[in-house]
Amino acid sequence: MGDHWRYAEDRGDWSLGKQVNKMERTTLRRIRQRKADNKIYLCAPVNALVEGIYEQNIPFSEIKKHGDFGLGTFNDLDGEMMMFDGLIYRIGSDGKANQITDDEICTPFSCVTFFQPSSEDELAKELSYEEFLNWLKELMPSPNLFYAFRIEGEFDYVKNTFGTKAGKLPSTGGSGEGTANF
């Protein structure tokens, strides 16, 4: 019912008894289908990691049933997980990305979706980091929703900071204990 009300509200038509023509019914179905297809899957709440739960034993074979694009980590925080086109990569504290082919490796947290872009936008010029963030914000209809962005390009510099394997935390000289920068 939410889709019907929203569509009627957008058109200024609140009459529930009014006949809806075929084009409008098609539009409603399309809205419902898009919402059904665009789901995210969280295998555990992120606050579990904050509470120190670094092992959930959810295999990536299960995660792949729910998406082909996303981010996460590995048991014991052993690197960052990136899923791209259904392939899983582990980014270690050295900054190197290695493809993971064993679907029985486990994760305590991942967030995935079946990536279906609703638009394709291109930048005409180089942007500073702040300009880039503002450009991304302009693409989002609301800051209160989840979005998946696939960004392709050439970058002079990429900085990533993340936790390293639990129990093997290096000192990072002031950037935060248990983190690595590359």
Side-chain angles (χ1 to χ4, degrees):
M1 184 155 164
D3 290 332
H4 298 285
W5 281 102
R6 178 170 289 125
Y7 185 74
E9 180 183 9
D10 291 344
R11 291 182 49 247
D13 177 9
W14 286 94
S15 170
L16 292 177
K18 185 175 179 179
Q19 185 71 21
V20 179
N21 71 36
K22 185 177 180 181
M23 181 65 149
E24 290 170 333
R25 279 195 307 271
T26 302
T27 302
L28 290 173
R29 272 192 232 109
R30 207 173 303 133
I31 289 169
R32 261 192 253 109
Q33 183 64 39
R34 186 172 57 221
K35 284 185 177 183
D37 291 342
N38 291 328
K39 295 180 182 178
I40 61 167
Y41 173 78
L42 297 168
C43 71
V46 72
N47 57 331
L49 291 178
V50 174
E51 295 295 325
I53 302 170
Y54 302 143
E55 200 170 296
Q56 286 290 326
N57 295 322
I58 302 166
F60 284 108
S61 58
E62 178 63 26
I63 302 301
K64 286 182 173 184
K65 294 176 186 176
H66 302 281
D68 60 5
F69 184 84
L71 298 171
T73 188
F74 296 86
N75 271 353
D76 299 320
L77 304 182
D78 191 16
E80 296 292 309
M81 183 278 290
M82 178 181 73
M83 183 185 286
F84 183 75
D85 291 337
L87 301 175
I88 295 175
Y89 297 89
R90 178 189 169 274
I91 303 172
S93 59
D94 59 0
K96 294 181 181 172
N98 296 300
Q99 185 178 348
I100 302 297
T101 56
D102 182 357
D103 283 350
E104 296 312 306
I105 290 178
C106 296
T107 178
F109 173 79
S110 67
C111 178
V112 297
T113 188
F114 287 105
F115 188 72
Q116 300 174 40
S118 60
S119 70
E120 191 170 310
D121 299 275
E122 193 170 314
L123 288 169
K125 63 176 186 157
E126 256 184 60
L127 299 178
S128 69
Y129 181 68
E130 286 297 319
E131 292 170 326
F132 179 70
L133 290 180
N134 288 332
W135 178 74
L136 283 178
K137 288 176 187 175
E138 289 175 13
L139 297 176
M140 297 184 283
S142 169
N144 299 319
L145 300 173
F146 290 99
Y147 299 93
F149 287 98
R150 177 176 169 166
I151 301 169
E152 296 181 17
E154 294 181 20
F155 302 91
D156 291 333
Y157 177 76
V158 175
K159 180 179 179 181
N160 191 1
T161 302
F162 60 89
T164 58
K165 186 170 182 176
K168 297 183 180 177
L169 304 176
S171 173
T172 56
S175 65
E177 187 167 342
T179 61
N181 296 295
F182 60 86

